[in-house]
């Protein structure tokens, strides 16, 4: 299992400034990326053959790198429809592309999944992506994740899962926003503060918020079993589910 300090050293060297800024603003998100990689590695350890991974929302490559370094045999298709972010990932992770362990898709998550054959993927992994989806779109993505996974395959997601107890969730969110203000005003990055607060309004909107009980029911409805929240820290949680 990769220790947090080893993870930080490796990522600050490869991803560089992008990782350091994210760690400063939202340390729980970089930790969740690490934990997604840990879960992928634990799954791969039990398998004799190289595993095929689909990552949804690869972004600048922070979670992608965590997955790639979890097991030297696995292969990753990283999906992200935001060109600027994916370009950064391609630049940082070119060595894995050259070794034919990584390829990229510029499609949105649902379109990318629909292009894959049923029962063809060992793991679908993601960090801080599904909560950005409109609720109806997210439900379709969940169904497609289940379809493309092989029997026994795993869905691993580190994300914002809103607590059902709204008052507690609100308090957690308020603490999160207070952290944004503290960090970003100290380094005089009011431009980033504005972006994060605006984005948070989207996350918390009624048609986007990923409430824990609803998310669990969606997974159950499509057929997932052994659904677990393995870790929760305030608004953030690591979820695994098996087909």
């Amino acid at each position: 299992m990769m220790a947090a300090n080893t993870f930080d050293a490796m990522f600050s060297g490869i991803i560089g400034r992008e990782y350091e800024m994210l760690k400063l603003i939202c340390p729980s998100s970089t930790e969740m990326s690490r934990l997604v990689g840990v879960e992928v590695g634990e799954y791969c350890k039990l398998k004799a053959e190289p595993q095929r991974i689909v990552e949804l929302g690869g972004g600048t490559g922070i979670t992608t790198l965590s997955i790639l370094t979890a097991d030297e045999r696995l292969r990753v298709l990283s999906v992200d429809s935001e060109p600027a972010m994916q370009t950064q990932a391609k630049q940082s992770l070119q060595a894995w592309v050259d070794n034919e362990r990584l390829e990229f898709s510029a499609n949105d998550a649902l379109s990318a999944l629909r292009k894959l054959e049923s029962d063809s993927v060992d793991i679908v992994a993601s960090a801080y992506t599904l909560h950005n989806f409109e609720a109806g779109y997210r439900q379709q993505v969940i169904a497609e994740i289940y379809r493309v996974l092989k029997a026994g395959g795993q869905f691993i997601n580190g994300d914002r899962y809103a607590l059902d107890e709204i008052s507690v969730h609100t308090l957690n969110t308020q603490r999160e926003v207070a952290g944004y203000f503290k960090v970003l005003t100290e380094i005089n990055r009011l431009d980033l503060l504005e972006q994060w607060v605006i984005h948070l309004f989207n996350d918390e909107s009624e048609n986007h918020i990923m409430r824990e009980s609803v998310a669990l029911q969606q997974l159950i409805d499509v057929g997932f079993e052994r659904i677990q929240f393995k870790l929760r820290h305030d608004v953030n949680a690591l979820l695994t589910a098996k087909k």
Side-chain angles (χ1 to χ4, degrees):
M1 182 180 296
M2 186 184 296
N5 57 349
T6 304
F7 180 89
D8 288 344
M10 179 181 68
F11 277 59
S12 62
I14 297 175
I15 300 297
R17 180 174 172 78
E18 180 71 25
Y19 174 74
E20 294 296 346
M21 182 60 75
L22 184 60
K23 185 185 174 189
L24 182 67
I25 299 168
C26 191
S28 57
S29 65
T30 56
E31 173 64 3
M32 203 58 72
S33 290
R34 185 183 75 85
L35 291 171
V36 167
V38 169
E39 284 297 320
V40 169
E42 291 298 315
Y43 183 91
C44 290
K45 271 200 274 187
L46 303 174
K47 306 295 181 181
E49 297 180 352
Q51 301 295 288
R52 185 185 185 195
I53 320 295
V54 172
E55 180 201 13
L56 301 179
T60 58
I62 292 171
T63 307
T64 318
L65 182 55
S66 181
I67 294 168
L68 285 164
T69 54
D71 189 289
E72 63 183 12
R73 303 167 299 163
L74 60 77
R75 301 184 311 278
V76 178
L77 171 64
S78 182
V79 177
D80 201 301
S81 58
E82 173 49 57
M85 297 178 75
Q86 193 174 78
T87 295
Q88 292 181 61
K90 287 178 178 178
Q91 292 170 348
S92 299
L93 304 175
Q94 185 61 44
W96 283 268
V97 175
D98 294 342
N99 289 333
E100 299 183 346
R101 291 190 52 210
L102 174 63
E103 57 183 312
F104 291 94
S105 167
N107 289 313
D108 68 279
L110 187 57
S111 299
L113 288 166
R114 284 177 170 167
K115 289 185 174 184
L116 299 174
E117 295 181 3
S118 298
D119 309 306
S120 63
V121 175
D122 298 292
I123 297 173
V124 175
S126 186
Y128 294 100
T129 296
L130 269 69
H131 80 274
N132 291 303
F133 297 159
E134 187 274 329
Y137 179 92
R138 185 189 304 134
Q139 191 166 8
Q140 294 180 73
V141 167
I142 292 293
E144 285 298 305
I145 291 171
Y146 186 83
R147 181 188 65 80
V148 303
L149 281 171
K150 299 175 183 176
Q154 191 168 49
F155 173 48
I156 302 169
N157 190 38
D159 216 326
R160 293 178 63 92
Y161 283 97
L163 290 166
D164 293 325
E165 192 172 345
I166 294 174
S167 60
V168 177
H169 175 72
T170 300
L171 181 61
N172 287 339
T173 304
Q174 288 170 334
R175 280 201 298 260
E176 183 180 18
V177 174
Y180 296 167
F181 272 83
K182 182 178 186 302
V183 169
L184 294 173
T185 54
E186 284 180 355
I187 62 173
N188 196 30
R189 289 302 305 270
L190 299 185
D191 56 330
L192 281 179
L193 177 60
E194 179 184 26
Q195 291 175 31
W196 278 77
V197 171
I198 290 172
H199 181 79
L200 191 64
F201 271 94
N202 187 70
D203 292 345
E204 297 296 305
S205 64
E206 192 61 33
N207 64 332
H208 281 87
I209 194 165
M210 191 160 65
R211 193 74 65 187
E212 183 177 298
S213 60
V214 176
L216 286 173
Q217 192 59 53
Q218 285 181 337
L219 292 167
I220 292 167
D221 288 346
V222 299
F224 277 106
E225 300 177 347
R226 295 172 62 185
I227 304 164
Q228 300 179 65
F229 280 105
K230 291 200 166 183
L231 177 145
R232 175 176 278 283
H233 178 68
D234 295 336
V235 300
N236 312 287
L238 178 69
L239 176 142
T240 62
K242 287 205 179 249
K243 178 173 177 178

